Amino acid sequence: MSAAVSPAPRKGLSFRQPSVIPGFGLTLGFTISYFSLIILIPLIALAIRSAGLGPEGFWKAATDARVLGALRVSFVTALIAAGINVVFGTLIAWVLVRYRFPGRRIFDAIIDLPFALPTAVAGIALTAIYAPSGAIGAIFAPIGWRIAYTPVGIVIAMIFIGLPFVVRTIQPILEEVSNEVEEASATLGASRFQTITKVILPSLTPAILTGFALAFARGVGEYGSIIFIAGNIPFVSEIAPLLIYIRLQEFNYVGASVIATVMLLISFAMLFAINLIQAWSRRRYGYGH
Amino acid sequence: MATKLRARTHRRISPTSESRLVQWILIGIAFVFMAIILLMPLYAVFHEALAKGLNTFFAALVEKDAQAAIRLTLLVAAIAVPLNVVFGLAASWAIAKFEFKGKAFLITLIDLPFSVSPVISGLVYVLLFGAGSFLGPFLKSYGIEVLFALPGIVLATIFVTFPFVARELIPLMQDQGTGDEEAALSLGANGWQTFWRVTLPNIKWGLLYGVLLCNARAMGEFGAVAVVSGKIRGQTTTMPLQVEMLYNEYNATAAFALASLLALLALVTLVLKSALEWRYGDEIAASGK
Amino acid sequence: MEVRVANVRKEFDRFPALHDVSLDIRSGELIALLGPSGSGKTTLLRLIAGLEMPTAGKIFFGDTDASEKTVQERNIGFVFQHYALFRHMTILENVSFGLKVRPRSSRPPAGEIRRRAMELLDLVQLSGLEKRYPNQLSGGQRQRVALARALAIEPAVLLLDEPFGALDAQVRRELRKWLREIHDRTGHTTVFVTHDQEEALELSDRLCVMSQGKIEQVGTPDTVYDHPSSPFVFGFIGESSELPVTVENNELWIGGRAIGVPAGDTPTGQSRLFFRPHDVDLVEGDAALAGVVTTSRRVGGTRRVELEIGGDGHRVEIDLPFDHPAGEKSRIAFRPRRWTLFPA
Ligand SMILES: Nc1ncnc2c1ncn2[C@@H]1O[C@H](COP(=O)(O)OP(=O)(O)O)[C@@H](O)[C@H]1O
Ligand SMILES: [Mg+2]
């Protein structure tokens, strides 16, 4: 459209297509400078610091037993939490999209609570509930189950912060599934259960995978809501972000950088995976987001 | 008799829905899960805050260090949010109004901070400005403290809230296209007039939505700020950090009192956000949900 | 399978979409439901399918009362306007779906399912595309997949709701012919909804014209075209002109003049005269309809002129040879060759 107004469209050759709208240089320049100053340069500082170790040193620091233990705790708990969130997140998205019941809108609004509630607040609140003396902790304490100060507590905190990612990824896609597709399935003889399991849920697969990846990535990086409830016992309930914090307190900047670099590489891989899922689903099914 | 009964049940159930009973069971499960994971922590905050009565509650809020923490939190948000608004406007203008190479990549980069653990967001500034860095001592020689001071806290906050405004505005402005701006320009308006009188009114609700989310996160950020603040009581502790400190000093009631203010902020954010979605859904439609 | 719709009434929140509709669909015929948008065609089709339940009345499949049966049990093939294909399944999986979801006892073995699906894909001329996803096909191809999918369950009745509505004119015409061929080859009782009269006339054995939730006329395309039973049908099918006339002395009169058209056994009084623009003879002399040309345009091989008849501003359209010299304001006298009178 803008090319029509311009004197000589030089498509493919120029960096940008001509336009009559002003401010390109100013806004893009500011965007890139601001991004570089706030995000890029600090991240490069991190990369340089860990690169200073050399490949061997880096490997040695990254495979330190306590580091591996912390990474394992973070990843395993995040996987479990994301898995639980996928099940209940899909159910909640389904209920919110498909059913009409009193209080639905409020229910819907509350799903975003973890986005709005500061993580430290969530952390102490969850601890209060799941500690042996807390409302739920007290139920399980007599039979010897401890939730707070164990990896189970970590999983619960991760469920809290990850839930909206799953619900909010599935909801819009579920709204898009047309009624006609379900009717087609019914006319072909599929029972309601078959329609749900063979038609509706599979068509949500890309959204479910994306929601899982987002919740997982968030869980791995989470700090505030976890440290209060985790107990923070090395090799058992010490998460990777906490170990970074501990290394910093010890002024072991290199140690902190190594853990951070490993975590960053993994979360960028996750980001890449999410993009792949969406590109794949767009190409094959004609939708994504 | 039996067939008659069956016929009547068929009459009531649509082939693309579940029976009312199944619906209520699913709604029940979803609600119970949501209540345990989301509502209970919210309730716990206020319950614990008021556990020792209103007097203790208010005493905790007017306490000197608590007041300092509240002031610092407001100050940090008052600096970080406007900066990210300016960035969000610039980035969305450049991205939505122009076609240029590498645009998709730039959009991905803007979302990058979401996949970085908050602790790492703080860590990168420690590496950049802390002991052993080049910049830290250099600035210090001019009397500028970044780490364990306001600038560091602001930088870390900007890092974690970086994408909020931009990611609301970019899809919204892309949706709106360039027609309005081209019309205004053709009528003789200059760039600034076009922006203030045409573009901004078009995106005001989307912008407000982004600001709301950005602010909630800015005031509530814990991990990133914890790393850079040094936690000097009454000076570099924001509200979430003060909550942690009080909690770790076994002053749970005071911790929860301060936490309840943050929870209130979260609730207000949710209410305003939902109100915006219900009232101006179309005008922020391109954004997320 | 014969389908009998008996005195069916359907209300949506008190809004009546169908009033007391009865229709007998013969085994093996291809019947078109034709009518303007909102006339209740889709509603009737969905009632037959069991996707909706009637407020009153019954639907019989053969001798069995279908209200006893769910959609799943009715064994009908339904084709939607927007295809409604399963987008996460390949074409082959889409077509096999209906057989794969059958209970184990009546499900054919996997090899047999595949063979039948491939056979159907061959029938709809999509062999070789079985591994594609719906998203990778054109609209016309998708609709053919939808048809193959519906045929796979060997439906008692095939129901199609504006199946070509979303396609462009060219593809539409092709698919229309092709649907007729498939019907002739497979012999399924077929009901298809359209608002396109050309499509209905060309394709169907019989057509059922609907308006405002009622059936106006059911008959072969020729009967409906040549002997419309109501002013609505006359106006809706084919092109038509209408004039208010007076019947006296077994003759038609307009503005106090006889127009040389006999009234048959129509009773004396006011009446409405309907005729088609191409069913007219130009005449000289007095006893004819005469009018002044208001507009004239050439449409292919003929000239369509609009005439103003009398001083009351009534206008009719008639066709003339394209080289007819009539220009604006010229006077033309004609008499309908075939016509129908309806009570005023
Ligand atoms: N689910 C429904 N709820 C309410 N009204 C409906 C529903 N389906 C159809 N209608 C109404 O019934 C009438 C007939 O609709 P329909 O059968 O879809 O017409 P057609 O297919 O001939 O265009 C219309 O006025 C329509 O608005
Ligand atoms: Mg219809």
Side-chain angles (χ1 to χ4, degrees), chain A residues 34 38 99 112 192 221 245, chain B residues 18 84 99 117 125 231 273:
Chain A
Y34 189 77
I38 301 288
Y99 303 152
D112 281 335
R192 186 64 189 151
Y245 186 81
Chain B
E18 290 71 50
N84 277 339
E99 289 304 323
S117 171
Y125 293 109
K231 297 181 188 167
K273 175 177 166 297

Side-chain angles (χ1 to χ4, degrees), chain C residues 98-129:
Chain C
L99 297 173
K100 282 190 185 160
V101 295
R102 284 197 184 159
R104 198 169 293 267
S105 56
S106 58
R107 190 193 314 154
E112 170 68 10
I113 292 181
R114 189 186 156 81
R115 196 188 57 72
R116 267 161 68 178
M118 294 300 278
E119 225 174 74
L120 279 163
L121 282 176
D122 195 38
L123 179 75
V124 299
Q125 296 157 3
L126 288 176
S127 306
L129 299 184

Side-chain angles (χ1 to χ4, degrees), chain A residues 4 23 25 50 85 120-121 164 181 190 203 209 251 253 266:
Chain A
S50 13
N85 270 333
V121 178
V181 172
S203 73
L209 284 177
F251 297 102
Y253 288 2
I266 292 165

